[in-house]
Amino acid sequence: MLSTLRQIVEEIGHIPVLEEALQRVSELLKEAMRVDCCTIYLADTENQCFVLVATEGLAKEAIGVTRIGFSEGIIGWIGQREEPINIADAQSHPRFKHYPDVKEESYHAFLGTPIIHQRKVLGVISVQQKSRRRFAEEEESLLITLAAQMALEVANAEARGAVKLSGSDGIQLWQKALYGRPGSSGLAVGVGFQPNKKARLSDYIAARSQKVNQEISQYRRAVKRTKADIRKLTNQVAENVPKDVANIFQTYDFLLDAASLGKEVEEKIRAGWNAATSLKQVVGNYARQFSQMQDSYMQERAVDVVDLGDRVFGHLVNDKRRVAEIPAKAILVAEEITATMLAEIPAKKLKGIIAMRGSVNSHAAILARAMGIPAVLGVTELHVSHLAGKELLLDGYSGEITVAPEMQKRISFEALIKEEKELNKLVSAELEQEAVTLDGQHIGLFLNVGLSQELEEKFSADADGVGLYRTEIPFMSHDRFPGEEEQRVLYRSLLQKYHDRAVTMRTLDVGGDKPLPYFPFQEENPFLGWRGIRMTLDHPEIFLVQVRAMIKASAGLHNLQIMLPMITSVEEVKEAKRLIRQAFYEVREEANREGEEVHKPRVGVMLEVPSVLWQLEELASLVDFFSVGSNDLTQYLLAVDRNNPRVSELYQSYHPAVLRALNHIAQVSKRLDVPVTVCGELAAEPAGVMLLVAMGYNKLSINGYSMARVKWVIRRQSQEKMQAVLHKALLMSEASEIRDFLNMELEYLGLGGLVRAGK
Ligand code: PEP
Ligand code: MG
């Protein structure tokens, strides 16, 4: 039975039009269960009814015509009860309602179950039989299992070009949203563009060849051409994105080097395979190894290897790559987005990015953010072809995608884009103003940096300093740990740029969802695993090199602050401080010899693990400042993986427990007189700003793009008013209630349009 189920679900995935896919399900299921009839209804919430969309056994003319009210008949009853119903004789059941169109008079036994996705009833699937009998338990569980597996496909219905219902009133289009993970914020409208299907190494049929020398020279020629292509792309990319981001292509170059892929390919050629087969075997091995690794970053590398293999193969088989017609407003859609795909589309045309796979760590996400292009990633279990060539609306704030929008929806989305632009323009006029409340309270606004110095530079003049430098980001775009001098140069340029303001550098915070490509490790539960300070304390050599580089970089400047991520206990702080002291004395000695002056950096901790909430006093006696990492604090307080789309609804930044924890930190820090900043995403949300400022946080660290709107919010309210809002919010017991209340307050301020993101 399991294989039948799998076959059915697979088939649904491959049929682009949902109604056809569902029809196929009813045929297959009728056969597999040996029943007389199988029928599927889908919910039409707008009209409060279930619509018959597929059947094998009832009258086909009823498809799209028969509509059963949400509270009518047995189908409506299943929807209401949200559970299966199994009856020996449906016709004599009190809830039975006769619908003449469907012609079900000859059926008696009935088994139906709801199709539920994320708590919403999307439809009902039923089987019927002429005899009078109760369906067996195994039959019931089979139907339930199938319904659960179908749910996602049904939820993604609109991605199939909208569900066509040929009803009495003609063809109706359903508009439902499709969701992925927000990868880069912003709104975009455009046409799905799937890069040309190229010659694929994986499709090549193996062949042997005895002409070793000829095969090797062909292979080398293909590699040479591929290298030239990559160089060209690198230059193209360099025009659109900052140099530090373009480093991604180094990985490609590295893989192409004779010492890595090449050596193995040539060995296979010598063993009697032709060049393409040898390449296929080696690429296949590497890709398999990468994709079997547990951490997401290394899995991403499998895509790079396959892409690279296809490129070399293209030259081997002399594939003349035709450039596909790129729409003027292109939304790049692909199973997995590679950096090269991005580079191939002119920046002017690229409006958005959608990837079926990928995570916040994928190079595509890093590039998208650096290029300021809205992106949605991880649109699970959907075929790219469903989006290619279709008009798409993409919301990079919420992760929502609308396929083939009806006119009305497109018009209102375009109005939103216009509104976003206007609001951005209006708000950005505030950028150069001081962040001061109506009653004169100054709020320090610091920058979160690390992605790209070039891009972040444009905001530097308007910030009070750097509140969070995520040092792991430059580490991630290398192919090995950067050396001390390399790090020093990098840190020096930042410290110098902000020579008159504080720069808070966070020590390496890898692990969790931020693995290093060259330092892979597998964990069952990475967010609860070897993250941040835990990893670096276990590797003092890595920690010391980094801290020494930071201190050296600060020579002659007094603006370095060092911040420790993922602190859970006092021991970790003591040990980290011991290492920082050791590094400082070493560096100072060297510096003194060279006549330079270094100052002991101020040291602070991130408050992002709930345990520290109850040790603030002890921590305060050890450090110079606190910084609240509200992203992780929320994740750990609520036990919700911040990257898992299945539970993303539960990741609630305005959960009462989160707000009370933040309030507690603000109060205790004030009592202990420890400077405290908030550097998580909450500090960049207008509603978050109101609450945090009211709690007493007078330093916020945010990304540059949010600077203007945060100033806008601060400058339009008094501390007193914000405190009144906070007071009310703290009395509420549900996140949604708090959220609605805050949104209303923001509407009053005229900021509704910028409050699209967040929960
Ligand atoms: C946080 O956890 O809130 C934070 C700022 O750090 P990161 O998002 O890098 O984990
Ligand atoms: Mg964090």
Side-chain angles (χ1 to χ4, degrees), residues 448 468 470 472 506 509 513-514 531 606 608 628-633 642 679-681:
N448 288 352
L468 167 64
R470 289 183 164 100
E472 60 277 6
R506 179 168 77 181
D509 185 20
D513 65 332
K514 292 184 285 194
R531 269 199 79 181
M606 289 204 63
E608 51 185 349
V628 184
S630 55
N631 306 339
D632 277 316
L633 188 61
R642 65 195 251 195
C679 64
E681 296 302 304

Short mmCIF file of all heavy atoms in Angstrom, two decimals, residues 448 468 470 472 506 509 513-514 531 606 608 628-633 642 679-681, ligand 1:
data_model
loop_
_atom_site.label_atom_id
_atom_site.label_comp_id
_atom_site.label_asym_id
_atom_site.label_seq_id
_atom_site.Cartn_x
_atom_site.Cartn_y
_atom_site.Cartn_z
N ASN A 448 23.95 47.04 12.13
CA ASN A 448 24.34 45.63 12.05
C ASN A 448 25.05 45.49 10.72
O ASN A 448 24.46 45.78 9.68
CB ASN A 448 23.11 44.73 12.04
CG ASN A 448 22.42 44.67 13.40
OD1 ASN A 448 22.94 45.20 14.38
ND2 ASN A 448 21.27 44.04 13.45
N LEU A 468 26.62 45.65 15.86
CA LEU A 468 26.83 44.21 15.67
C LEU A 468 27.54 43.99 14.35
O LEU A 468 27.00 44.27 13.29
CB LEU A 468 25.48 43.47 15.66
CG LEU A 468 25.51 42.02 15.17
CD1 LEU A 468 26.34 41.14 16.09
CD2 LEU A 468 24.09 41.44 15.07
N ARG A 470 28.78 41.00 12.34
CA ARG A 470 28.69 39.54 12.30
C ARG A 470 29.93 39.01 11.60
O ARG A 470 29.94 38.84 10.39
CB ARG A 470 27.43 39.09 11.56
CG ARG A 470 26.13 39.35 12.30
CD ARG A 470 24.95 38.80 11.50
NE ARG A 470 23.74 38.67 12.27
CZ ARG A 470 22.72 39.53 12.23
NH1 ARG A 470 22.79 40.59 11.46
NH2 ARG A 470 21.64 39.33 12.96
N GLU A 472 31.10 36.20 11.31
CA GLU A 472 31.02 34.90 10.62
C GLU A 472 30.74 35.06 9.13
O GLU A 472 31.06 34.18 8.33
CB GLU A 472 29.97 33.99 11.26
CG GLU A 472 28.54 34.50 11.27
CD GLU A 472 28.25 35.44 12.42
OE1 GLU A 472 29.19 35.79 13.15
OE2 GLU A 472 27.09 35.86 12.57
N ARG A 506 31.46 41.00 17.00
CA ARG A 506 31.06 39.75 17.65
C ARG A 506 32.03 38.66 17.26
O ARG A 506 32.38 38.53 16.08
CB ARG A 506 29.64 39.39 17.22
CG ARG A 506 29.15 38.10 17.83
CD ARG A 506 27.69 37.93 17.62
NE ARG A 506 27.38 37.51 16.25
CZ ARG A 506 26.14 37.30 15.82
NH1 ARG A 506 25.11 37.50 16.63
NH2 ARG A 506 25.91 36.91 14.59
N ASP A 509 30.31 33.47 15.29
CA ASP A 509 29.06 32.84 15.74
C ASP A 509 28.61 31.83 14.69
O ASP A 509 27.61 32.03 14.00
CB ASP A 509 28.00 33.94 15.95
CG ASP A 509 26.71 33.37 16.53
OD1 ASP A 509 26.74 32.28 17.11
OD2 ASP A 509 25.66 34.03 16.40
N ASP A 513 22.47 27.46 12.00
CA ASP A 513 22.22 27.56 10.55
C ASP A 513 23.36 28.25 9.84
O ASP A 513 23.22 28.65 8.71
CB ASP A 513 20.91 28.31 10.30
CG ASP A 513 21.00 29.75 10.75
OD1 ASP A 513 21.78 30.02 11.68
OD2 ASP A 513 20.30 30.60 10.19
N LYS A 514 24.48 28.44 10.51
CA LYS A 514 25.59 29.14 9.88
C LYS A 514 26.88 28.32 9.90
O LYS A 514 27.83 28.66 10.58
CB LYS A 514 25.82 30.49 10.59
CG LYS A 514 24.68 31.47 10.37
CD LYS A 514 24.95 32.82 11.00
CE LYS A 514 24.78 32.79 12.48
NZ LYS A 514 24.70 34.12 13.11
N ARG A 531 27.34 25.81 18.92
CA ARG A 531 27.15 27.13 18.31
C ARG A 531 27.97 28.18 19.01
O ARG A 531 28.19 28.11 20.21
CB ARG A 531 25.68 27.56 18.48
CG ARG A 531 24.75 27.19 17.43
CD ARG A 531 23.50 28.09 17.55
NE ARG A 531 23.72 29.40 16.99
CZ ARG A 531 22.81 30.37 16.97
NH1 ARG A 531 21.62 30.17 17.50
NH2 ARG A 531 23.07 31.54 16.44
N MET A 606 26.15 38.69 24.51
CA MET A 606 24.82 38.72 23.90
C MET A 606 23.88 38.01 24.87
O MET A 606 24.21 36.97 25.42
CB MET A 606 24.83 38.00 22.57
CG MET A 606 25.58 38.78 21.54
SD MET A 606 25.08 38.40 19.87
CE MET A 606 23.39 38.90 19.79
N GLU A 608 20.88 36.02 24.59
CA GLU A 608 20.04 35.38 23.59
C GLU A 608 19.65 33.96 23.97
O GLU A 608 18.89 33.31 23.29
CB GLU A 608 20.69 35.42 22.20
CG GLU A 608 22.11 34.93 22.12
CD GLU A 608 22.73 35.11 20.73
OE1 GLU A 608 22.02 35.42 19.77
OE2 GLU A 608 23.95 34.91 20.63
N VAL A 628 21.05 42.47 23.45
CA VAL A 628 20.01 41.45 23.39
C VAL A 628 19.87 40.94 21.95
O VAL A 628 19.59 41.71 21.03
CB VAL A 628 18.65 42.01 23.85
CG1 VAL A 628 17.60 40.89 23.87
CG2 VAL A 628 18.78 42.67 25.21
N GLY A 629 20.07 39.64 21.78
CA GLY A 629 19.87 39.03 20.46
C GLY A 629 18.44 38.50 20.44
O GLY A 629 18.19 37.34 20.75
N SER A 630 17.53 39.36 20.06
CA SER A 630 16.12 38.98 20.18
C SER A 630 15.74 37.87 19.20
O SER A 630 14.79 37.13 19.44
CB SER A 630 15.21 40.19 20.00
OG SER A 630 15.49 40.82 18.78
N ASN A 631 16.50 37.72 18.11
CA ASN A 631 16.17 36.64 17.16
C ASN A 631 16.30 35.27 17.84
O ASN A 631 15.40 34.44 17.77
CB ASN A 631 17.12 36.65 15.96
CG ASN A 631 17.17 37.99 15.26
OD1 ASN A 631 16.25 38.79 15.40
ND2 ASN A 631 18.24 38.25 14.54
N ASP A 632 17.44 35.09 18.47
CA ASP A 632 17.64 33.79 19.12
C ASP A 632 16.88 33.71 20.44
O ASP A 632 16.39 32.65 20.80
CB ASP A 632 19.14 33.55 19.36
CG ASP A 632 19.80 32.99 18.12
OD1 ASP A 632 19.20 32.09 17.51
OD2 ASP A 632 20.88 33.47 17.74
N LEU A 633 16.79 34.82 21.14
CA LEU A 633 16.06 34.78 22.41
C LEU A 633 14.63 34.30 22.17
O LEU A 633 14.10 33.48 22.91
CB LEU A 633 16.06 36.17 23.07
CG LEU A 633 15.50 36.21 24.49
CD1 LEU A 633 16.31 35.32 25.43
CD2 LEU A 633 15.48 37.64 25.04
N ARG A 642 13.99 29.04 14.29
CA ARG A 642 13.72 30.27 13.54
C ARG A 642 13.76 30.09 12.02
O ARG A 642 13.35 30.96 11.29
CB ARG A 642 14.67 31.40 13.99
CG ARG A 642 16.12 31.16 13.68
CD ARG A 642 17.01 32.11 14.47
NE ARG A 642 17.63 33.11 13.63
CZ ARG A 642 18.65 33.88 14.02
NH1 ARG A 642 19.13 33.77 15.26
NH2 ARG A 642 19.17 34.75 13.22
N CYS A 679 19.98 44.07 19.39
CA CYS A 679 20.52 43.98 18.03
C CYS A 679 19.80 42.96 17.16
O CYS A 679 20.23 42.67 16.05
CB CYS A 679 22.02 43.73 18.05
SG CYS A 679 22.46 42.15 18.77
N GLY A 680 18.69 42.41 17.64
CA GLY A 680 17.92 41.48 16.80
C GLY A 680 17.00 42.24 15.86
O GLY A 680 16.90 43.48 15.93
N GLU A 681 16.32 41.51 14.99
CA GLU A 681 15.46 42.14 13.97
C GLU A 681 14.32 42.95 14.56
O GLU A 681 13.81 43.88 13.94
CB GLU A 681 14.88 41.06 13.04
CG GLU A 681 15.92 40.33 12.23
CD GLU A 681 16.74 41.26 11.35
OE1 GLU A 681 16.16 42.00 10.55
OE2 GLU A 681 17.99 41.27 11.49
C1 PEP B 1 20.10 37.52 17.40
O1 PEP B 1 20.13 36.32 17.69
O2 PEP B 1 19.16 38.26 17.67
C2 PEP B 1 21.24 38.14 16.71
C3 PEP B 1 21.33 39.43 16.56
O3 PEP B 1 22.17 37.32 16.20
P1 PEP B 1 22.00 36.41 14.89
O4 PEP B 1 20.74 36.84 14.21
O5 PEP B 1 23.22 36.65 14.09
O6 PEP B 1 21.90 35.05 15.48
#
